[in-house]
Amino acid sequence: MQEEPIYWLFILAIPIACMSWTVTHEEVFREPREYCVKRSQEDKKLLKRKFFYLLTCEYCFSHYVTLFMLFITGYQLYLTDWRGYLIAGFSLVWIANIYMSLYNIIRIDLKKEKIITKKEELAIEEKKKETIIS
């Protein structure tokens, strides 16, 4: 058994989630992502469609990022052979996707709050205009 602390699972999942989310959602990668989305929908060959889809889905893409992180860190979970990498890999993907889900929920709540605030500001402005006119 490996003596690697379990807290590394939660720490390594942070950059995995960050990289996966950034590539699959943020503006900086919009053009390549749109190209991949188009190819994933329109390519005639099934394997090409699936390959390009894997580059646009945060869950799928997190597997690639996890493989990269396992390669550069050598992190293993529970066992010190190939099974430790396998356990670590799927565990990291799972934790990273929990992080991304939580981040998405927070973003939705923030957007909702901004919309509500904007609506309230517009209503106040309308009342001011009506008061001035009256």
Side-chain angles (χ1 to χ4, degrees), residues 80-126:
T80 57
D81 57 6
W82 64 271
R83 298 172 299 171
Y85 288 115
L86 191 66
I87 294 167
F90 285 110
S91 299
L92 285 166
V93 166
W94 191 68
I95 298 297
N97 278 278
I98 289 173
Y99 289 165
M100 287 187 281
S101 295
L102 292 172
Y103 180 70
N104 193 38
I105 290 167
I106 292 168
R107 282 179 57 132
I108 289 170
D109 282 347
L110 289 173
K111 284 181 183 181
K112 184 178 165 185
E113 288 299 319
K114 283 181 184 179
I115 291 169
I116 291 169
T117 302
K118 188 69 173 173
K119 249 182 168 176
E120 290 172 354
E121 287 173 353
L122 290 172
I124 291 170
E125 288 297 319
E126 281 296 315

Side-chain angles (χ1 to χ4, degrees), residues 18 34 101:
C18 180
E34 287 174 352
S101 295

Side-chain angles (χ1 to χ4, degrees), residues 2 11 21 23 73 89-90 124 134:
Q2 184 162 347
I11 292 170
W21 184 271
V23 170
T73 64
F90 285 110
I124 291 170
S134 308

Side-chain angles (χ1 to χ4, degrees), residues 40-101:
S40 74
Q41 294 170 345
E42 297 176 358
D43 209 295
K44 293 184 186 336
K45 298 191 185 265
L46 176 69
L47 284 177
K48 283 186 180 180
R49 284 195 314 268
K50 296 305 175 189
F51 171 77
F52 284 104
Y53 176 76
L54 294 176
L55 301 175
T56 63
C57 164
E58 73 268 7
Y59 173 75
C60 303
F61 195 72
S62 68
H63 285 78
Y64 294 119
V65 178
T66 297
L67 286 173
F68 173 73
M69 291 299 284
L70 288 175
F71 177 75
I72 65 171
T73 64
Y75 179 70
Q76 294 172 310
L77 189 59
Y78 189 62
L79 302 168
T80 57
D81 57 6
W82 64 271
R83 298 172 299 171
Y85 288 115
L86 191 66
I87 294 167
F90 285 110
S91 299
L92 285 166
V93 166
W94 191 68
I95 298 297
N97 278 278
I98 289 173
Y99 289 165
M100 287 187 281
S101 295

Side-chain angles (χ1 to χ4, degrees), residues 5-33:
I6 193 77
Y7 64 80
W8 279 110
L9 173 66
F10 297 94
I11 292 170
L12 288 174
I14 295 169
I16 292 169
C18 180
M19 288 183 266
S20 299
W21 184 271
T22 301
V23 170
T24 60
H25 287 84
E26 297 303 332
E27 180 65 23
V28 70
F29 289 104
R30 182 175 52 86
E31 291 84 2
R33 185 174 51 254

